[in-house]
């Protein structure tokens, strides 16, 4: 037995051995250090000290969102559906800023592949797909209030600049706004007169703007006149009954809001027309043909690109150079006789070269005898202030009339300002102008400007020359030292 | 410490390692700089910095392999250990020398964004943040390499072991995806961890009673937790692995343009622990 082993065997089990003293001390100190550092790390990560260094502050939430979060006291969970390791870091970093801004926001990653049942409970229909990369925003106080934000809602692609922009904050903040709102503005879609239902795109957009929509029958359903509720009368083909007419008028006079779509080819409907007349409007028979080539879509003289008149609804469109496309328009005429408190403002107008074709079946687009020359209104906004003596309050009624129901067609909405026009209209009607609107951010930076000579010069210097100097110097040192 | 630092840095520049490392670093970054920034006129230089992972993976084992193992093999460490300098100064000097060698080419590559700035506007805050994170990440990798080098006598073994550990670090986020999250696996994992700690204690103290007692206590507390509330063990493996995902913290933080103070503290803590453990390993040689 060697000496070393002897000492070892003597020391085995002894609490006085050198090994135990030094080794034990070293182990204890190591564990204490690790424990302290773990605690320090946990404390620091609670402080949430992060700084956004990106040029467009893409990970920082705007004041609009911060104000919304400050006023919220409902616990909200944002479930991020990503396969483990496949997170979209941009979105996750933005969500971190939400968590930082409010103690009531909690972000949780869920792997949809491992937890298929979790996703299942948030499907609203059997055909609905909730794809990986979506966020589910849930109000924990009322778990039935949730909103699924798809990845397509968070990234927008601008066809003109060919740039992808980040729209995540708009999507996430509206979703939060939706789940914490106790009552959403209602859109009552009137039915029972062969009206067409609202188009898919419009319905979806209303939903994402936090409107709840509901089909109503004026005879049987209660409709509540509140300043953020809107009734939609989408081009009825049968006239309203007198009772219905009274109900609509009463609704309007109680401070109601309405949007009415009319079409040029509908039969004469005295009751329906009386509602328009009540607000100083009439629809003339015939279809509008535009004579100014710069205000029609291609060669189609009956598809108008009307002028945007100045109004809260249209100003945003004009600022972004968006066109509203109006096919097959009827002409909306402002009557000379109307109540003094009724105020009619045109929103969309044709040029003076437009004319109203009295015979819609005419074979020519040229102006014929009997055609009425323009300009015409193709969309108008009406406000009326009714002073209530008893309650000493003023009730404001608001009405938008659009001269074609085709404005909301899915095929038109994709590439034009029509959807924005309708949503702006709904927001103006329901006094939601200050509703959430956050500009998308671009992740792209302005390109550098350099020519080929400069490029080659830099490449030569940085890829070849600089490393070469290091290598040559290294070899010279090595050669010199080899002979030492 | 300063004497060790100077000696070590000089010895780097007497061997081909330093020049090889710097040239490799510059060629690699230069190539991506050309492909991304010059060729595509991209002003964001952080895209180039993303390639630091390759440099760390291949370069750092070269920097650290001979730091402590070589002196151990040559027995020159005995000279130093008996000299009147303390172990922490000795280890820290070596660590700082390796870190300096890492920082030198890093600083040289800063010429790339400087050159770019004459052609347009650069996202400076993001670039400087990414550089800062890169140096911190480099420090953590060097500290791991330093620790491994202290454990072996052979440079090649040290380099290969370091490389293997770095590869594990690189794939740790992939392991996280397949790591089981259920209670049973977590309990087994914790039990293995406790036994490993017990083995470590036995290794450093050679005392069966203490090591055994700590292991039994640890296992008992796991069992108690299991019977009271088994759900606390859910996902513990993933959380544990999370503590070691060095690269992910860089790529989802600094690289994206976010300066997260907790990541800074994390990298510094990680480096501190490994430098400290290295000091313990060297110290052990003094008394055993």
């Amino acid at each position: 037995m060697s000496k070393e082993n002897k000492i070892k065997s003597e020391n085995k089990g002894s609490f006085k051995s050198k090994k135990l003293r030094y080794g034990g001390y070293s182990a204890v100190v190591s564990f204490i250090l690790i424990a302290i550092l773990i605690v320090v790390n946990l404390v620091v990560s609670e402080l949430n000290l992060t700084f956004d260094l990106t040029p467009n502050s893409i990970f920082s939430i705007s004041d609009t969102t911060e104000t919304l979060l400050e006023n919220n006291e409902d616990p909200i969970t944002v479930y991020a559906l990503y396969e483990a390791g496949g997170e979209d870091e941009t979105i996750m970093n933005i969500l971190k800023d939400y968590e930082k801004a409010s103690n009531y926001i909690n972000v949780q990653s869920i792997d949809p592949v491992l937890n298929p049942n979790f996703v299942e409970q948030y499907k609203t229909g059997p055909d609905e797909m909730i794809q990986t990369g979506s966020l589910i925003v849930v109000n924990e106080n009322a778990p039935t209030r949730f909103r699924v934000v798809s990845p397509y809602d968070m990234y927008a692609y601008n066809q003109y600049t060919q740039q992808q922009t980040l729209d995540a904050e708009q999507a996430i903040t509206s979703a939060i706004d939706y789940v914490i709102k106790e009552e959403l503005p209602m859109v009552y879609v009137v039915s029972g007169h062969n009206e067409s239902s609202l188009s898919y795109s419009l319905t979806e957009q209303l939903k994402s703007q936090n409107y709840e929509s509901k089909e109503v029958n004026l005879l049987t359903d209660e409709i509540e006149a509140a300043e953020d509720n809107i009734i939609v009368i989408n081009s009825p083909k049968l006239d309203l009954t007198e009772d219905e007419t009274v109900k609509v008028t009463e609704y309007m006079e109680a401070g109601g809001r309405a949007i009415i779509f009319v079409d040029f080819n509908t039969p004469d409907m005295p009751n329906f027309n009386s509602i328009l007349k009540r607000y100083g409007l009439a629809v003339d028979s015939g279809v509008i043909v535009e004579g100014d080539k710069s205000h029609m879509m291609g060669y189609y003289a009956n598809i108008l690109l009307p002028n945007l008149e100045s109004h809260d609804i249209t100003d945003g469109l004009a600022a972004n150079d968006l066109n509203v496309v109006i096919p097959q328009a009827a002409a909306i005429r402002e009557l000379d006789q109307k109540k003094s408190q009724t105020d009619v403002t045109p929103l969309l107008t044709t040029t003076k070269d437009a004319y109203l074709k009295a015979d819609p079946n005419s074979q020519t687009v040229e102006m014929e005898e009997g055609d009425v020359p323009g300009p015409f209104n193709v969309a108008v906004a009406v406000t009326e202030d009714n002073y209530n003596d008893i309650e000493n309050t003023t009730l404001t009624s608001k009405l938008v009339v659009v001269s074609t129901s085709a404005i909301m067609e899915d095929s038109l909405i994709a590439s034009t300002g029509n959807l924005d026009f309708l949503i702006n209209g709904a927001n103006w009607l329901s006094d939601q102008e200050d509703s959430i609107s956050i500009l998308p951010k671009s992740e792209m930076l302005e390109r550098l400007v350099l020519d080929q000579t400069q490029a080659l010069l830099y490449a030569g210097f940085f890829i070849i020359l600089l490393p070469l100097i290091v290598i040559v110097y290294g070899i010279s040192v090595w050669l010199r030292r080899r002979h030492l | 410490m300063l004497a060790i630092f100077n000696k070590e840095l000089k010895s780097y520049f007497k061997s081909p390692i330093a020049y090889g490392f710097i040239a490799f670093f510059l060629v690699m970054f230069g190539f991506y700089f050309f492909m991304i920034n010059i060729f595509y006129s991209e002003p964001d230089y952080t895209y180039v910095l993303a390639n630091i992972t390759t440099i760390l993976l291949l370069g750092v084992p070269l920097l650290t392999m001979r730091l402590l193992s070589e002196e151990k093999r040559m027995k020159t460490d005995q000279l130093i250990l008996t000299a009147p300098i303390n172990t922490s100064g000795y280890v820290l000097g070596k660590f700082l020398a390796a870190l300096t060698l890492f920082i030198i080419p890093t600083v040289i590559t800063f010429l790339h964004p400087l050159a770019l700035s004459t052609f347009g506007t650069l996202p400076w805050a993001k670039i400087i943040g990414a550089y800062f994170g890169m140096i911190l990440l480099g420090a953590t990798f060097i500290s791991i390499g330093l620790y491994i080098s202290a454990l072996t006598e052979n440079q090649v073994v040290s380099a290969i072991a370091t490389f293997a550990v770095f590869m594990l670090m690189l794939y740790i986020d992939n392991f996280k995806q397949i790591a089981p999250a259920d209670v049973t696996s977590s309990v087994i994992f914790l039990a293995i961890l406790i036994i490993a700690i017990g083995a470590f204690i036995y290794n450093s103290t050679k005392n069966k009673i203490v090591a055994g007692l700590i292991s039994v206590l640890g296992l008992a507390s796991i069992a108690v937790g299991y019977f009271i509330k088994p759900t606390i063990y859910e996902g513990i493996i993933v959380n544990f692995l999370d503590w070691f995902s060095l690269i992910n913290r860089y790529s989802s933080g600094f690289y994206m343009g976010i300066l997260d103070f907790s990541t800074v503290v994390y990298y510094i803590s990680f480096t501190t622990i490994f430098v400290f453990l290295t000091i313990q390993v060297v110290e052990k040689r003094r008394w055993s």
Side-chain angles (χ1 to χ4, degrees):
Chain A
M1 193 181 268
S2 74
K3 195 184 165 193
E4 205 187 353
N5 279 344
K6 204 175 160 193
I7 295 170
K8 248 185 196 168
S9 66
E10 276 171 6
N11 283 343
K12 243 175 214 169
S14 156
F15 285 95
K16 285 179 183 163
S17 79
K18 202 167 149 195
K19 281 256 176 209
L20 182 64
R21 257 190 299 133
Y22 286 113
Y25 171 76
S26 154
V28 166
V29 171
S30 306
F31 279 122
I32 290 175
L33 179 78
I34 292 171
I36 289 174
L37 289 176
I38 287 176
V39 171
V40 168
N41 272 278
L42 291 175
V43 170
V44 171
S45 68
E46 283 301 305
L47 294 178
N48 270 330
L49 282 170
T50 55
F51 305 94
D52 188 348
L53 303 179
T54 55
N56 297 334
S57 298
I58 52 170
F59 304 120
S60 307
I61 55 174
S62 64
D63 294 344
T64 316
T65 301
E66 271 178 9
T67 318
L68 181 84
L69 294 180
E70 272 166 25
N71 297 328
N72 165 51
E73 290 191 351
D74 285 356
I76 290 167
T77 309
V78 180
Y79 295 101
L81 303 181
Y82 293 110
E83 284 179 46
E87 287 91 357
D88 181 331
E89 296 294 353
T90 307
I91 303 295
M92 291 309 281
N93 276 321
I94 293 170
L95 287 174
K96 273 185 201 156
D97 215 34
Y98 277 83
E99 273 186 312
K100 193 173 143 185
S102 166
N103 292 331
Y104 296 98
I105 306 273
N106 173 29
V107 178
Q108 217 175 315
S109 286
I110 294 271
D111 190 329
V113 180
L114 296 178
N115 305 285
N117 291 333
F118 177 83
V119 177
E120 210 59 40
Q121 60 178 318
Y122 293 107
K123 284 186 179 167
T124 44
D127 298 330
E128 202 194 327
M129 287 277 290
I130 299 180
Q131 55 186 153
T132 302
S134 300
L135 307 175
I136 303 176
V137 181
V138 185
N139 185 338
E140 296 296 343
N141 278 354
T144 50
R145 287 199 89 82
F146 63 87
R147 164 67 60 81
V148 178
V149 181
S150 92
Y152 298 118
D153 300 333
M154 294 189 276
Y155 289 100
Y157 185 74
N158 187 324
Q159 285 178 324
Y160 299 105
T161 59
Q162 301 213 330
Q163 277 194 1
Q164 183 178 271
T165 52
L166 190 63
D167 222 356
E169 195 190 340
Q170 166 78 52
I172 298 167
T173 303
S174 332
I176 293 173
D177 184 44
Y178 170 79
V179 301
I180 61 179
K181 258 194 188 147
E182 282 175 13
E183 262 183 58
L184 298 175
M186 277 298 280
V187 174
Y188 297 109
V189 184
V190 174
S191 67
H193 317 94
N194 277 350
E195 294 95 342
S196 357
S197 51
L198 300 186
S199 72
Y200 173 79
S201 309
L202 181 58
T203 314
E204 283 299 300
Q205 191 62 25
L206 283 170
K207 209 171 124 189
S208 80
Q209 294 280 327
N210 296 343
Y211 286 93
E212 212 164 349
S213 57
K214 191 175 162 189
E215 215 163 82
V216 289
N217 185 319
L218 289 172
L219 291 175
T220 53
D221 295 322
E222 275 300 312
I223 48 172
E224 192 194 340
E227 58 194 23
D228 49 5
N229 290 350
I230 306 169
I231 61 169
V232 179
I233 304 178
N234 185 16
S235 183
K237 307 292 181 295
L238 301 169
D239 202 2
L240 279 66
T241 63
E242 266 173 33
D243 285 348
E244 288 175 317
T245 313
V246 169
K247 201 162 180 181
V248 171
T249 317
E250 276 175 359
Y251 165 86
M252 287 300 289
E253 282 171 357
R257 313 292 162 96
I259 181 161
I260 297 177
F261 297 93
V262 294
D263 276 318
F264 76 94
N265 54 358
T266 45
D268 190 37
M269 299 180 285
N271 287 334
F272 176 68
N273 288 340
S274 73
I275 298 172
L276 296 174
K277 195 180 166 194
R278 160 75 183 71
Y279 289 94
L281 300 171
V283 178
D284 291 328
S285 70
V287 64
I288 297 175
V289 174
E290 181 59 78
D292 184 338
K293 284 206 165 13
S294 64
H295 282 81
M296 57 169 94
M297 184 94 148
Y299 296 106
Y300 300 101
N302 59 349
I303 304 182
L304 320 175
L305 301 176
N307 296 313
L308 301 172
E309 302 296 333
S310 175
H311 189 272
D312 283 348
I313 298 176
T314 46
D315 287 347
L317 295 165
N320 288 307
D321 280 335
L322 284 169
N323 275 316
V324 178
V325 180
I326 302 283
Q328 311 270 31
I332 302 166
R333 181 161 44 90
E334 185 181 343
L335 299 173
D336 297 331
Q337 281 187 322
K338 58 175 189 281
K339 286 192 168 188
S340 62
Q341 65 266 44
T342 307
D343 185 30
V344 177
T345 317
L347 298 174
L348 304 173
T349 57
T350 68
T351 67
K352 63 179 179 4
D353 297 333
Y355 43 93
L356 189 66
K357 270 221 164 294
D359 176 15
N361 298 319
S362 169
Q363 294 302 307
T364 173
V365 294
E366 299 301 321
M367 192 165 170
E368 294 170 294
E369 208 188 314
D371 293 353
V372 185
F376 304 101
N377 296 324
V378 289
V380 296
V382 184
T383 52
E384 187 181 286
D385 291 329
N386 287 313
Y387 185 70
N388 187 323
D389 295 326
I390 307 154
E391 289 176 23
N392 201 16
T393 50
T394 308
L395 292 168
T396 306
S397 314
K398 287 183 177 180
L399 172 69
V400 169
V401 182
V402 182
S403 63
T404 176
S405 60
I407 189 175
M408 65 174 90
E409 266 180 23
D410 290 324
S411 57
L412 282 179
I413 270 176
S415 54
T416 65
N418 288 18
L419 190 58
D420 298 71
F421 175 77
L422 294 171
I423 294 297
N424 288 355
N427 287 342
W428 175 76
L429 285 170
S430 59
D431 294 338
Q432 312 262 319
E433 287 103 328
D434 56 344
S435 72
I436 290 134
S437 169
I438 297 155
L439 289 176
K441 289 170 184 166
S442 173
E443 290 180 88
M444 301 271 282
L445 300 169
E446 213 171 296
R447 305 275 101 182
L448 299 168
V449 188
L450 26 65
D451 59 49
Q452 260 189 333
T453 331
Q454 287 166 325
L456 285 174
L457 201 72
Y458 277 91
F461 179 71
F462 285 113
I463 310 182
I464 301 164
L465 197 63
L466 206 58
L468 207 64
I469 294 170
V470 177
I471 291 170
V472 168
Y473 185 73
I475 289 175
S476 76
V477 170
W478 178 67
L479 284 176
R480 228 179 323 124
R481 293 191 53 84
R482 204 172 54 149
H483 301 297
L484 281 181
Chain B
M1 188 187 91
L2 215 60
I4 299 283
F5 172 77
N6 281 333
K7 178 208 141 248
E8 200 60 40
L9 204 58
K10 267 184 200 147
S11 84
Y12 267 132
F13 282 101
K14 281 175 196 161
S15 73
I17 288 183
Y19 304 101
F21 177 75
I22 294 173
F24 169 59
F25 201 132
L26 292 182
V27 168
M28 176 118 182
F29 270 42
F31 174 74
Y32 283 108
F33 166 66
F34 178 73
M35 288 311 290
I36 297 167
N37 297 115
I38 302 276
F39 197 73
Y40 286 106
S41 313
E42 167 63 59
D44 194 348
Y45 186 70
T46 45
Y47 293 133
V48 177
L49 299 182
N51 299 294
I52 187 62
T53 323
T54 320
I55 307 261
L56 293 173
L57 224 57
L58 299 172
V60 169
L62 291 178
L63 289 191
T64 58
M65 63 180 184
R66 41 166 289 287
L67 273 181
L68 293 159
S69 54
E70 182 70 359
E71 299 219 39
K72 201 165 156 189
R73 188 175 67 87
M74 307 277 279
K75 308 283 181 218
T76 46
D77 61 335
Q78 299 186 0
L79 265 177
I80 291 157
L81 288 175
T82 48
I85 59 162
N86 55 24
T87 321
S88 41
Y90 169 65
V91 172
L92 223 53
K94 298 227 164 203
F95 168 74
L96 290 178
L99 185 61
T100 307
L101 190 57
F102 173 74
I103 291 174
I104 290 170
T106 306
V107 170
I108 298 174
T109 61
F110 201 69
L111 290 172
H112 296 162
L114 280 180
L116 286 181
S117 65
T118 52
F119 305 115
T121 327
L122 266 63
W124 279 114
K126 191 181 173 193
I127 294 171
I128 291 169
Y131 261 109
F132 177 57
M134 193 171 111
I135 291 170
L136 287 176
L137 182 66
T140 58
F141 271 71
I142 290 169
S143 70
I144 299 171
L146 179 78
Y147 178 67
I148 293 169
S149 140
L151 296 177
T152 68
E153 273 187 28
N154 186 313
Q155 286 191 33
V156 179
V157 173
S158 165
I160 291 172
T162 311
F163 180 70
V165 170
F166 288 177
M167 285 303 275
L168 272 179
M169 290 285 183
L170 184 65
Y171 286 110
I172 209 149
D173 295 305
N174 300 45
F175 292 140
K176 262 182 3 200
Q177 292 176 46
I178 52 164
D182 59 298
V183 176
T184 320
S185 331
S186 305
V187 170
I188 294 171
F189 172 76
L190 281 180
I192 293 172
L193 201 65
I194 294 286
I195 292 166
I197 292 172
F200 174 77
I201 293 169
Y202 176 71
N203 188 40
S204 51
T205 61
K206 293 280 183 285
N207 188 306
K208 277 183 183 164
I209 299 172
V210 173
L213 207 65
I214 287 173
S215 308
V216 169
L217 275 178
L219 292 173
S221 53
I222 292 172
V224 170
Y226 182 75
F227 286 112
I228 295 173
K229 199 182 175 197
T231 47
I232 54 167
Y233 293 113
E234 267 173 24
I236 218 154
I237 302 180
V238 175
N239 288 339
F240 181 81
L241 291 176
D242 241 355
W243 279 96
F244 294 94
S245 70
L246 290 171
I247 295 168
N248 187 38
R249 273 166 218 251
Y250 177 73
S251 54
S252 68
F254 288 109
Y255 171 61
M256 302 282 292
I258 290 177
L259 177 62
D260 187 345
F261 197 61
S262 67
T263 312
V264 176
V265 172
Y266 167 82
Y267 281 147
I268 293 173
S269 311
F270 202 95
T271 310
T272 311
I273 289 172
F274 273 93
V275 171
F276 183 80
L277 289 178
T278 312
I279 295 170
Q280 298 305 309
V281 171
V282 176
E283 185 80 10
K284 190 179 166 191
R285 258 182 260 147
R286 278 198 163 162
W287 47 259
S288 60

